Amino acid sequence: ELERPRKAVEELESLLKSAPDDVACQAHFLLARIYFESAAADSATAQEYQRQAKEHQQQGNTLFSESAEAYFNSSMMAGTVKETLEWLDKAIDFDPGHYDSLKARALAYHALKDYEQMGTDASMMIGKRSADSQGYALRAIARREKAISEDKRELLEKAVQDHNQAIQLAGDQAELYDQRRRTHMQMGNY
């Protein structure tokens, strides 16, 4: 996540040798994700990364034990938004409060323009971590987009309240201010 995959690979590979199966399973899935998302300078390296990603995914599948984290990690390797949602649904069914899965599913619903479901997951995020700005930021976007698509102008004011809460919690993040600006533009508050 911090764009230091080499250090993560070293840590994860050490877990493959000494950790219990459920931890090794997660390490394989995370290694698969790193190799899958890594940019390669040439086609030979790209092919090698793809091979390693598939190998780690297969090994993770053989060690797979049911947990929200395992389902979440599987969702990161899914090839389509539909498959991603299927894995995330399993993660949330297993643990309804799994924050990372709620966040990922809210973002998937955003991609599908399902703002009702996005808002629901964002509200669940707020319930789980009320002092975290991300739930408020996502719910603000869901409310704004729903207001636009369904012509429900009253949701825009609620979206601004969520934007304000996200900014208050997170501080100086330019994206939060930009999202609030977009909502104000929809309201005609130039």
Side-chain angles (χ1 to χ4, degrees):
E1 294 295 328
L2 298 175
E3 298 180 14
R4 294 193 311 241
R6 182 60 69 209
K7 179 74 174 157
V9 167
E10 291 172 14
E11 291 286 328
L12 291 167
E13 285 179 347
S14 71
L15 290 173
L16 296 178
K17 299 170 188 158
S18 60
D21 284 353
D22 59 333
V23 174
C25 170
Q26 298 309 306
H28 278 297
F29 283 143
L30 290 170
L31 283 164
R33 181 177 172 197
I34 288 170
Y35 285 118
F36 182 71
E37 294 177 352
S38 292
D42 57 72
S43 63
T45 304
Q47 288 177 346
E48 177 60 18
Y49 285 170
Q50 290 300 313
R51 184 194 67 72
Q52 289 186 28
K54 287 179 184 176
E55 182 179 314
H56 282 293
Q57 187 174 13
Q58 288 171 347
Q59 290 178 10
N61 285 335
T62 62
L63 298 172
F64 187 83
S65 61
E66 193 174 43
S67 70
E69 196 66 30
Y71 289 130
F72 171 75
N73 285 329
S74 295
S75 78
M76 297 295 112
M77 296 300 297
T80 66
V81 175
K82 182 182 176 195
E83 290 172 352
T84 298
L85 280 173
E86 288 172 2
W87 284 111
L88 291 171
D89 287 344
K90 289 178 182 180
I92 294 168
D93 286 345
F94 192 84
D95 177 2
H98 192 257
Y99 192 83
D100 290 334
S101 295
L102 289 168
K103 178 182 172 187
R105 192 168 73 172
L107 292 169
Y109 283 134
H110 183 259
L112 294 172
K113 298 182 181 186
D114 186 342
Y115 303 116
E116 183 72 32
Q117 292 298 326
M118 179 187 180
T120 299
D121 282 350
S123 292
M124 290 174 66
M125 290 170 63
I126 292 167
K128 183 74 175 163
R129 295 186 189 169
S130 62
D132 191 326
S133 66
Q134 293 179 350
Y136 294 100
L138 289 172
R139 188 170 70 180
I141 294 168
R143 286 177 166 173
R144 179 187 64 224
E145 297 304 321
K146 186 175 179 182
I148 294 167
S149 66
E150 297 178 12
D151 198 29
K152 293 184 176 181
R153 309 296 291 168
E154 67 276 5
L155 287 177
L156 292 173
E157 193 62 45
K158 290 181 179 182
V160 169
Q161 291 171 0
D162 281 339
H163 288 304
N164 291 341
Q165 185 65 29
I167 289 168
Q168 182 180 350
L169 290 169
D172 293 336
Q173 291 185 15
E175 176 64 23
L176 297 176
Y177 286 94
D178 184 52
Q179 290 296 333
R180 184 173 67 180
R181 176 197 60 81
R182 292 179 188 193
T183 303
H184 279 298
M185 295 293 284
Q186 288 298 320
M187 297 171 76
N189 296 338
Y190 303 113

